[in-house]
Amino acid sequence: MTAQRRPLVAANWKMNGSLASNADWTAAFVARAASLHCDVVVCAPFPYLCTLGRSVAPAELGAQDLSERTAGAFTGDVAGEMLADVGCRWVIVGHSERRQLHGETDAVVAAKAARALQAGLRPIVCVGETLAEREAGRTQEVVRTQLAAVLGAIGEAALARGALAYEPVWAIGTGRNATPRQAQEVHAALRAQVVERDRASAAALRILYGGSVKPANAAELFSQPDIDGGLIGGASLSAADFLAICMAVGT
Ligand code: PEP
């Protein structure tokens, strides 16, 4: 993390929550959020976005996915404009659970990032390798290909209006985080890939780490020069743990 980029910490609640538990979370978060030194995004399940609205302020609201299409006969899909309409400013695209469980290809992820921007949303674009890919020494190649697809679709300046998240698949929800050194190595390579296109966009781009971030490991991860915050899954379900992670920024 450098002074040049304001840190960003995003909660990914995944398919969790209820009206009652969301209200409890929001009350606990808002009570202590004024003292945070980072930008915060809360990515909630679709049905709760409208109710959450501005209640998570100073955090901004985000969704976890959007359709690559505009309005029309696409049963079950949600358009970016609908997300913007109910107060979202951000949307996650290309999460590994979408790639793996819903067959989202690099081309689909790139199209979703482009749609997000057209709808006025800032995309949080996720990239990351599987355990098999890491063990085969293919980490850099895999994330480079994933990032190249998005850069080709939206360009580096537009990506810098959103954020990039490096999320090694083997670290998501497993309790096994990448070491700060492993994560920094990939973050540096991703930033170097953007430098090849434009140095200013690369310097502005926030690259988040995601994968079993907890209050106990957040500060060390966030202290790395190219780690500009985190995308937090399991630990974001507890407002206290999420706040502790946000407070680890800049420590
Ligand atoms: C995620 O789903 O984006 C994530 C990083 O999950 P967890 O923090 O639970 O590993």
Side-chain angles (χ1 to χ4, degrees):
M1 189 173 303
T2 73
Q4 190 174 11
R5 296 180 288 274
R6 184 168 163 82
L8 171 65
V9 183
N12 175 13
W13 287 356
K14 310 195 185 190
M15 196 169 72
N16 293 294
S18 65
L19 287 173
S21 67
N22 296 348
D24 291 345
W25 191 100
T26 302
F29 173 77
V30 169
R32 293 177 58 204
S35 58
L36 296 179
H37 299 292
C38 59
D39 292 338
V40 182
V41 177
V42 176
C43 298
F46 291 140
Y48 300 126
L49 292 171
C50 211
T51 310
L52 284 168
R54 294 193 52 75
S55 72
V56 292
E60 292 189 316
L61 195 61
Q64 299 169 16
D65 183 36
L66 82 168
S67 173
E68 67 270 44
R69 302 185 177 90
T70 50
F74 304 109
T75 303
D77 285 346
V78 176
E81 285 77 4
M82 296 172 181
L83 300 175
D85 201 20
V86 298
C88 287
R89 295 286 169 269
W90 297 81
V91 61
I92 298 171
V93 298
H95 192 281
S96 64
E97 287 153 15
R98 302 291 316 171
R99 292 179 189 260
Q100 292 195 321
L101 302 175
H102 298 271
E104 291 191 7
T105 61
D106 287 347
V108 168
V109 173
K112 288 188 172 193
R115 272 278 43 245
L117 289 157
Q118 285 159 7
L121 299 168
R122 304 168 83 172
I124 300 173
V125 176
C126 301
V127 298
E129 82 287 3
T130 63
L131 186 58
E133 289 164 342
R134 174 162 281 266
E135 287 177 346
R138 296 186 51 226
T139 298
Q140 303 280 356
E141 167 205 335
V142 168
V143 299
R144 186 175 177 88
T145 302
Q146 291 172 337
L147 176 56
V150 173
L151 287 173
I154 66 173
E156 58 284 354
L159 180 62
R161 286 205 292 279
L164 180 63
Y166 169 56
E167 298 210 305
V169 179
W170 48 271
I172 296 178
T174 59
R176 180 183 167 190
N177 61 286
T179 64
R181 189 174 164 177
Q182 283 174 321
Q184 166 58 26
E185 193 175 65
V186 178
H187 281 231
L190 291 167
R191 196 177 308 283
Q193 187 177 347
V194 182
V195 168
E196 290 167 21
R197 299 173 62 106
D198 177 45
R199 188 166 288 278
S201 297
L205 176 64
R206 290 183 287 191
I207 308 180
L208 316 182
Y209 169 77
S212 297
V213 179
K214 305 178 260 303
N217 62 21
E220 200 184 351
L221 284 160
F222 295 166
S223 70
Q224 301 300 308
D226 288 293
I227 300 183
D228 306 307
L231 179 53
I232 318 299
S236 75
L237 299 178
S238 154
D241 284 356
F242 184 65
L243 277 159
I245 290 169
C246 292
M247 285 171 184
V249 163
T251 56

